Coordinates of all heavy atoms in Angstrom, one line a residue:
G25 N 21.6 42.0 9.7 CA 21.8 40.6 9.7 C 21.9 40.1 11.2 O 22.1 40.9 12.1
G26 N 21.9 38.8 11.4 CA 22.1 38.3 12.7 C 21.6 36.9 12.8 O 21.4 36.2 11.8
L27 N 21.2 36.5 14.0 CA 20.8 35.1 14.3 C 19.3 35.1 14.6 O 18.8 36.0 15.3 CB 21.5 34.6 15.5 CG 21.2 33.2 15.9 CD1 21.5 32.1 14.9 CD2 21.9 32.8 17.2
A28 N 18.6 34.2 14.0 CA 17.1 34.1 14.2 C 16.8 32.6 14.3 O 17.5 31.7 13.8 CB 16.3 34.7 13.1
Q29 N 15.7 32.3 15.0 CA 15.2 30.9 15.0 C 14.3 30.7 13.9 O 13.7 31.6 13.3 CB 14.5 30.7 16.3 CG 15.4 30.7 17.6 CD 14.6 30.3 18.8 OE1 13.4 30.5 18.9 NE2 15.3 29.7 19.8
A30 N 14.2 29.4 13.5 CA 13.3 29.1 12.4 C 11.9 29.5 12.8 O 11.4 29.4 13.9 CB 13.3 27.5 12.2
G31 N 11.2 30.1 11.8 CA 9.9 30.7 12.0 C 9.9 32.2 12.4 O 8.9 32.8 12.5
G32 N 11.1 32.7 12.7 CA 11.3 34.0 13.2 C 11.4 35.0 12.0 O 11.2 34.7 10.9
S33 N 11.8 36.2 12.4 CA 11.9 37.3 11.4 C 13.2 38.1 11.6 O 13.7 38.2 12.7 CB 10.7 38.3 11.5 OG 9.5 37.6 11.3
L34 N 13.6 38.7 10.5 CA 14.7 39.6 10.5 C 14.4 40.7 9.4 O 13.7 40.4 8.4 CB 16.0 39.0 10.2 CG 16.7 38.2 11.3 CD1 18.0 37.5 10.7 CD2 17.1 39.1 12.4
R35 N 15.0 41.9 9.6 CA 14.8 42.9 8.6 C 16.2 43.4 8.2 O 17.0 43.9 9.1 CB 14.0 44.1 9.1 CG 13.7 45.1 8.1 CD 12.7 46.2 8.7 NE 12.4 47.3 7.7 CZ 11.4 47.2 6.9 NH1 10.6 46.1 6.8 NH2 11.2 48.2 6.0
L36 N 16.5 43.4 7.0 CA 17.8 43.9 6.4 C 17.6 45.2 5.8 O 16.5 45.5 5.2 CB 18.4 42.9 5.4 CG 18.5 41.4 5.8 CD1 19.2 40.7 4.7 CD2 19.3 41.3 7.1
S37 N 18.6 46.0 5.9 CA 18.5 47.4 5.3 C 19.8 47.5 4.4 O 20.9 47.0 4.8 CB 18.4 48.5 6.3 OG 17.2 48.4 7.0
C38 N 19.7 48.4 3.4 CA 20.8 48.7 2.6 C 20.8 50.2 2.3 O 19.8 50.7 1.8 CB 20.7 47.9 1.2 SG 22.0 48.4 0.0
A39 N 21.8 50.9 2.7 CA 21.9 52.3 2.5 C 22.8 52.6 1.3 O 23.9 52.0 1.2 CB 22.5 52.9 3.8
A40 N 22.4 53.4 0.4 CA 23.1 53.7 -0.8 C 23.6 55.1 -0.8 O 22.9 56.1 -0.3 CB 22.2 53.5 -2.0
S41 N 24.8 55.3 -1.4 CA 25.4 56.6 -1.4 C 25.1 57.4 -2.7 O 25.6 58.5 -2.9 CB 26.9 56.5 -1.3 OG 27.4 55.8 -2.5
A42 N 24.3 56.8 -3.6 CA 24.0 57.3 -4.9 C 23.5 58.7 -4.8 O 22.6 59.0 -4.0 CB 23.1 56.4 -5.7
R43 N 23.9 59.6 -5.7 CA 23.4 61.0 -5.7 C 22.0 61.0 -6.0 O 21.2 61.8 -5.5 CB 24.2 61.8 -6.7 CG 24.0 63.3 -6.6 CD 25.0 64.1 -7.4 NE 25.0 63.7 -8.9 CZ 24.3 64.3 -9.8 NH1 23.5 65.3 -9.4 NH2 24.3 64.0 -11.0
I44 N 21.6 60.2 -7.0 CA 20.2 60.1 -7.4 C 19.8 58.6 -7.2 O 19.9 57.8 -8.2 CB 19.9 60.6 -8.8 CG1 20.5 62.0 -9.0 CG2 18.4 60.5 -9.1 CD1 20.3 62.5 -10.4
F45 N 19.4 58.2 -6.1 CA 19.1 56.8 -5.8 C 17.9 56.3 -6.6 O 18.0 55.1 -7.0 CB 18.7 56.7 -4.3 CG 18.4 55.3 -3.8 CD1 19.3 54.3 -3.8 CD2 17.1 55.1 -3.3 CE1 18.9 53.0 -3.3 CE2 16.7 53.8 -2.9 CZ 17.7 52.8 -2.9
S46 N 17.0 57.1 -6.9 CA 15.8 56.6 -7.6 C 16.0 56.1 -9.0 O 15.1 55.6 -9.6 CB 14.7 57.7 -7.5 OG 15.2 58.9 -8.2
V47 N 17.2 56.3 -9.6 CA 17.4 55.9 -10.9 C 17.9 54.4 -11.0 O 18.0 53.8 -12.0 CB 18.4 56.7 -11.7 CG1 17.9 58.2 -11.7 CG2 19.8 56.6 -11.1
Y48 N 18.1 53.8 -9.8 CA 18.7 52.5 -9.7 C 17.6 51.5 -9.4 O 16.9 51.6 -8.4 CB 19.8 52.4 -8.7 CG 21.0 53.2 -9.1 CD1 21.2 54.5 -8.7 CD2 22.0 52.6 -9.9 CE1 22.3 55.3 -9.1 CE2 23.1 53.4 -10.3 CZ 23.2 54.7 -9.9 OH 24.3 55.4 -10.3
A49 N 17.6 50.4 -10.1 CA 16.9 49.2 -9.6 C 17.7 48.6 -8.6 O 18.9 48.6 -8.6 CB 16.7 48.2 -10.8
M50 N 17.0 48.0 -7.6 CA 17.7 47.4 -6.4 C 17.4 46.0 -6.3 O 16.2 45.6 -6.6 CB 17.4 48.2 -5.1 CG 17.7 49.7 -5.2 SD 19.5 50.0 -5.3 CE 20.1 49.3 -3.8
A51 N 18.3 45.2 -5.7 CA 18.1 43.8 -5.6 C 18.8 43.2 -4.4 O 19.7 43.9 -3.8 CB 18.5 43.0 -6.8
W52 N 18.3 42.1 -3.9 CA 19.0 41.3 -2.9 C 19.4 39.9 -3.5 O 18.6 39.3 -4.1 CB 18.2 41.1 -1.6 CG 17.9 42.3 -0.8 CD1 16.9 43.2 -0.9 CD2 18.8 42.8 0.2 NE1 17.0 44.2 0.0 CE2 18.2 44.0 0.7 CE3 20.0 42.4 0.8 CZ2 18.7 44.8 1.8 CZ3 20.5 43.1 1.9 CH2 19.9 44.3 2.3
F53 N 20.6 39.5 -3.2 CA 21.1 38.2 -3.5 C 21.6 37.6 -2.2 O 21.8 38.3 -1.2 CB 22.3 38.3 -4.5 CG 21.8 38.6 -5.9 CD1 21.5 39.9 -6.3 CD2 21.8 37.7 -6.9 CE1 21.1 40.3 -7.6 CE2 21.4 38.0 -8.2 CZ 21.1 39.3 -8.6
R54 N 21.8 36.3 -2.3 CA 22.4 35.6 -1.1 C 23.3 34.5 -1.5 O 23.2 33.9 -2.6 CB 21.3 35.1 -0.2 CG 20.5 33.9 -0.8 CD 19.3 33.6 0.2 NE 18.5 32.5 -0.4 CZ 17.4 32.0 0.2 NH1 16.9 32.6 1.3 NH2 16.8 31.0 -0.3
Q55 N 24.2 34.2 -0.6 CA 25.2 33.1 -0.9 C 25.4 32.3 0.4 O 25.9 32.8 1.4 CB 26.5 33.7 -1.4 CG 27.5 32.6 -1.8 CD 28.7 33.2 -2.6 OE1 29.0 34.4 -2.5 NE2 29.4 32.4 -3.3
A56 N 25.0 31.0 0.3 CA 25.1 30.1 1.4 C 26.5 29.4 1.3 O 27.1 29.4 0.2 CB 24.0 29.0 1.3
P57 N 27.0 28.9 2.4 CA 28.4 28.3 2.3 C 28.4 27.2 1.3 O 27.6 26.3 1.2 CB 28.5 27.7 3.7 CG 27.6 28.6 4.6 CD 26.5 28.9 3.7
G58 N 29.4 27.2 0.4 CA 29.6 26.2 -0.6 C 28.7 26.3 -1.8 O 28.7 25.4 -2.6
K59 N 27.9 27.3 -1.8 CA 27.0 27.5 -2.9 C 27.2 28.8 -3.7 O 27.9 29.7 -3.2 CB 25.5 27.4 -2.4 CG 25.1 26.1 -1.8 CD 23.7 26.1 -1.5 CE 23.2 24.7 -0.9 NZ 21.8 24.7 -0.6
E60 N 26.7 28.8 -4.9 CA 26.8 30.0 -5.7 C 25.8 31.1 -5.2 O 24.8 30.8 -4.6 CB 26.5 29.7 -7.2 CG 27.5 28.8 -7.8 CD 27.2 28.6 -9.3 OE1 26.2 29.0 -9.8 OE2 28.1 28.1 -10.0
R61 N 26.2 32.3 -5.5 CA 25.3 33.5 -5.1 C 24.0 33.4 -5.9 O 24.1 33.1 -7.1 CB 26.0 34.8 -5.3 CG 25.4 36.0 -4.7 CD 26.2 37.2 -4.8 NE 27.5 37.0 -4.1 CZ 28.4 38.0 -3.9 NH1 28.1 39.3 -4.3 NH2 29.5 37.8 -3.3
E62 N 22.9 33.6 -5.3 CA 21.6 33.4 -6.0 C 20.7 34.6 -5.8 O 20.8 35.3 -4.7 CB 20.9 32.2 -5.5 CG 20.5 32.2 -4.0 CD 19.7 31.0 -3.6 OE1 19.5 30.0 -4.5 OE2 19.1 30.9 -2.5
F63 N 19.9 34.9 -6.7 CA 18.9 35.9 -6.7 C 17.8 35.7 -5.6 O 17.4 34.6 -5.4 CB 18.2 36.1 -8.0 CG 17.1 37.0 -8.1 CD1 17.3 38.4 -8.2 CD2 15.8 36.6 -8.0 CE1 16.3 39.3 -8.2 CE2 14.7 37.5 -8.0 CZ 15.0 38.8 -8.1
V64 N 17.5 36.7 -4.9 CA 16.4 36.7 -3.9 C 15.2 37.5 -4.3 O 14.1 37.0 -4.4 CB 16.9 37.1 -2.5 CG1 15.7 37.1 -1.5 CG2 18.1 36.2 -2.0
T65 N 15.5 38.8 -4.5 CA 14.3 39.7 -4.9 C 14.9 41.0 -5.5 O 16.1 41.3 -5.3 CB 13.5 40.0 -3.6 OG1 12.4 40.9 -3.9 CG2 14.4 40.7 -2.5
A66 N 14.0 41.7 -6.2 CA 14.4 42.9 -6.8 C 13.2 43.9 -6.8 O 12.1 43.5 -6.7 CB 14.9 42.7 -8.2
I67 N 13.5 45.2 -6.9 CA 12.5 46.2 -6.9 C 12.9 47.3 -7.9 O 14.0 47.6 -8.1 CB 12.3 46.8 -5.5 CG1 11.1 47.7 -5.4 CG2 13.6 47.5 -5.0 CD1 10.7 48.1 -4.0
S68 N 11.9 47.7 -8.6 CA 12.1 48.7 -9.7 C 12.4 50.1 -9.1 O 12.3 50.3 -7.9 CB 10.9 48.8 -10.6 OG 9.7 49.2 -9.8
R69 N 12.8 51.0 -9.9 CA 13.2 52.3 -9.5 C 12.2 53.1 -8.6 O 12.6 53.7 -7.6 CB 13.5 53.2 -10.7 CG 14.6 52.7 -11.6 CD 14.7 53.4 -12.9 NE 15.8 53.0 -13.8 CZ 16.0 53.4 -15.0 NH1 15.2 54.4 -15.5 NH2 17.0 52.9 -15.7

C-alpha cells in the first residue's frame, strides 16, 4: 500500500501462512473512511 496519484498504479501483495495455500479461495476487500467494508475481487483456488 501507499500513496499514488490519480491515474497511477499500485500493486498489493498478500502472503499466506497456510500449509496448503491452494485449497483456499482468495479475495480482496476494501474499507473507505466512514463506509462499510466492500468486496473488490476474488480468485479461485
Side-chain angles (χ1 to χ4, degrees):
L27 178 64
Q29 290 189 332
S33 299
L34 282 174
R35 185 176 180 87
L36 306 183
S37 292
C38 173
S41 67
R43 189 167 63 91
I44 307 176
F45 177 66
S46 60
V47 302
Y48 293 92
M50 301 297 297
W52 289 92
F53 287 75
R54 67 185 181 186
Q55 187 167 17
K59 295 188 177 181
E60 294 185 350
R61 195 172 299 188
E62 65 176 8
F63 173 80
V64 177
T65 180
I67 189 167
S68 59
R69 298 170 179 175

